Amino acid sequence: MTVKSTVLKLRDEYRPDLKTVASLERAIGLSNGIVSQWDTSVPSKRTAQKVADFFHVSIERVYGTQSTKEDPDPIALYRINTRGLSKDEIEEVKNQLRFAEELARKQVREKRGDK
């Protein structure tokens, strides 16, 4: 899988409102046409990090070296302090964060009319 195809999958997953590659490039702040070059090349670490930050994913995911099925640890993702919590309590916090994230996505889609 090329970096371009990975980035386009991220767009489809996280920002389906950006219908064209050009609109995606503008939203991220990339040069026009740069994403198409990633069919045969790899972006610099700085540019890949810019893309990762835009989608709130790891740079490894942008480069395609991290499985898309891997569920990121919400404790790390949201930098939650778990000091003093039991393992069961930490698991409950993770479940609540996943629920809140999915609810937020659902509400955004509904507001946008995607349902």
Side-chain angles (χ1 to χ4, degrees):
M1 181 179 291
T2 66
V3 174
K4 177 185 176 184
S5 61
T6 300
V7 169
L8 294 180
K9 282 185 179 196
L10 289 169
R11 177 199 63 186
D12 293 344
E13 182 178 345
Y14 294 102
R15 291 297 304 270
D17 58 305
L18 299 173
K19 301 294 184 196
T20 66
V21 174
S23 64
L24 173 65
E25 290 167 335
R26 279 191 299 275
I28 298 174
L30 300 174
S31 300
N32 189 36
I34 193 76
V35 172
S36 292
Q37 294 177 12
W38 298 340
D39 263 335
T40 57
S41 66
V42 178
S44 68
K45 186 175 180 181
R46 187 172 127 198
T47 301
Q49 188 62 59
K50 196 173 188 178
V51 174
D53 291 344
F54 179 79
F55 290 117
H56 304 287
V57 298
S58 70
I59 193 169
E60 291 82 9
R61 184 141 178 223
V62 172
Y63 282 129
T65 57
Q66 176 183 332
S67 170
T68 58
K69 294 182 181 185
E70 183 178 315
D71 187 16
D73 182 0
I75 297 293
L77 186 64
Y78 295 108
R79 299 180 180 175
I80 303 296
N81 180 355
T82 58
R83 189 174 303 137
L85 297 178
S86 70
K87 287 183 179 182
D88 288 342
E89 290 169 326
I90 291 171
E91 229 15 75
E92 181 60 26
V93 169
K94 287 180 182 183
N95 290 335
Q96 291 295 326
L97 289 170
R98 287 183 185 112
F99 175 77
E101 183 179 13
E102 187 54 40
L103 180 63
R105 285 180 193 215
K106 181 181 175 187
Q107 289 176 339
V108 167
R109 287 183 191 119
E110 287 176 356
K111 186 176 182 180
R112 210 174 43 217
D114 292 351
K115 298 185 182 180

